[in-house]
Amino acid sequence: MLTSKVAKRYAQGLLDFTNESGQTATVFSEMKDVVKLMAESQDLNKFFLTPYIDSKKKVEVAKEIFKSLSVSSQNLITLVIRHGRENQLKNIAQEFINKVEDMSGVQRVTVTTATQLSKENLDQILRSTNLVNPNSNFDLKLNVKPEILGGYILRVGDQQVDASVKSKLNQVKKDFSLN
């Protein structure tokens, strides 16, 4: 997923601050909660995206919703809203999580398949490539997308292996159109 420059800058600023203040672990877990809440609540997203609600009201609501978070996390959320960037809150939180995981050496691995895979098949896919370091920690995300027809798409960081039937059929179609 492409992340905006805004999200990267806010996340980097938050990371710098939490590293200096020793709050990285706390804010890391809280940002996971923010991402989860923003992903699950359509009403909250609609509220934050509504342009005719002023920032003071949005800050009040955010303080109530996120009252269990640390002062640092609450201050970030308030700052983001006051600068009119509340539509980027989820992206900022996710980018912060990504930056902390990168510092810890955690690889983000995404496997997309047409159907649900067994553990054995998943392990075989992960062993078949040198993109996944078996000695490191990795965060595995599984996606099921029937439109790829079969095979898999493995994404590790910014590298991708597309072994899907759909891409192979598209390649055959392209080859025929060229000849």
Side-chain angles (χ1 to χ4, degrees), residues 9-26:
R9 287 185 181 158
Y10 275 91
Q12 186 60 52
L14 180 61
L15 182 61
D16 293 343
F17 174 76
T18 58
N19 282 338
E20 289 174 14
S21 62
Q23 299 176 341
T24 305
T26 303

Side-chain angles (χ1 to χ4, degrees), residues 84-109:
R85 304 289 192 176
E86 56 271 11
N87 63 329
Q88 291 290 317
L89 184 58
K90 180 181 173 194
N91 293 337
I92 293 167
Q94 185 60 57
E95 184 63 23
F96 177 80
I97 292 166
N98 293 348
K99 287 180 179 295
V100 172
E101 287 178 343
D102 288 345
M103 283 180 16
S104 305
V106 175
Q107 286 184 305
R108 281 176 293 288
V109 178

Side-chain angles (χ1 to χ4, degrees), residues 53-116:
I53 298 175
D54 69 332
S55 64
K56 290 179 184 175
K57 183 67 176 169
K58 289 180 182 180
V59 168
E60 283 178 32
V61 171
K63 283 187 179 187
E64 186 61 32
I65 291 171
F66 299 112
K67 64 184 172 191
S68 65
L69 301 184
S70 68
V71 174
S72 298
S73 295
Q74 288 182 18
N75 286 344
L76 171 79
I77 293 167
T78 301
L79 178 74
V80 168
I81 293 170
R82 285 197 178 136
H83 284 129
R85 304 289 192 176
E86 56 271 11
N87 63 329
Q88 291 290 317
L89 184 58
K90 180 181 173 194
N91 293 337
I92 293 167
Q94 185 60 57
E95 184 63 23
F96 177 80
I97 292 166
N98 293 348
K99 287 180 179 295
V100 172
E101 287 178 343
D102 288 345
M103 283 180 16
S104 305
V106 175
Q107 286 184 305
R108 281 176 293 288
V109 178
T110 304
V111 177
T112 305
T113 59
T115 60
Q116 194 65 35

